[in-house]
Amino acid sequence: MSVTAIDLEDRPRDFGERLLEERKRLNLEVHELAHLAGVTDYMQKRFENGTSTIPIDYLQALAARSDADVLFIITGVRSR
């Protein structure tokens, strides 16, 4: 098993960029992913542009209700 270094200095913008990349990979619109995670479109956009920190309950909802690669959003390392 290989170990990949994780950048512990990620900024909210880095997480947001990966969230946006993941939403596009899933071929979902902003409102669709927002609905799955239980947030407003406005908050979804704030998460994606890095102006709001992504809370753990949002990530838990994504993991439970979608095929989003939450590990990738958090670490930048694909789990699949």
Side-chain angles (χ1 to χ4, degrees):
M1 179 171 134
S2 67
V3 176
T4 304
I6 297 172
D7 184 0
L8 298 178
E9 301 300 318
D10 278 352
R11 301 159 307 193
R13 181 143 190 89
D14 299 327
F15 296 109
E17 288 172 0
R18 292 193 296 263
L19 177 60
L20 172 63
E21 182 180 334
E22 191 62 7
R23 179 174 61 76
K24 289 181 176 183
R25 183 188 71 81
L26 295 169
N27 199 28
L28 295 173
E29 297 293 327
V30 168
H31 70 276
E32 293 173 313
L33 194 58
H35 176 75
L36 287 171
V39 298
T40 64
D41 296 3
Y42 175 75
M43 284 310 300
Q44 180 67 37
K45 290 175 189 174
R46 288 183 58 93
F47 295 153
E48 290 182 8
N49 69 27
T51 55
S52 285
T53 303
I54 301 170
I56 191 69
D57 59 338
Y58 171 90
L59 295 171
Q60 289 171 317
L62 283 186
R65 299 179 186 143
S66 75
D67 289 328
D69 187 347
V70 174
L71 182 63
F72 170 71
I73 295 167
I74 297 169
T75 67
V77 177
R78 290 263 176 216
S79 66
R80 19 183 168 223

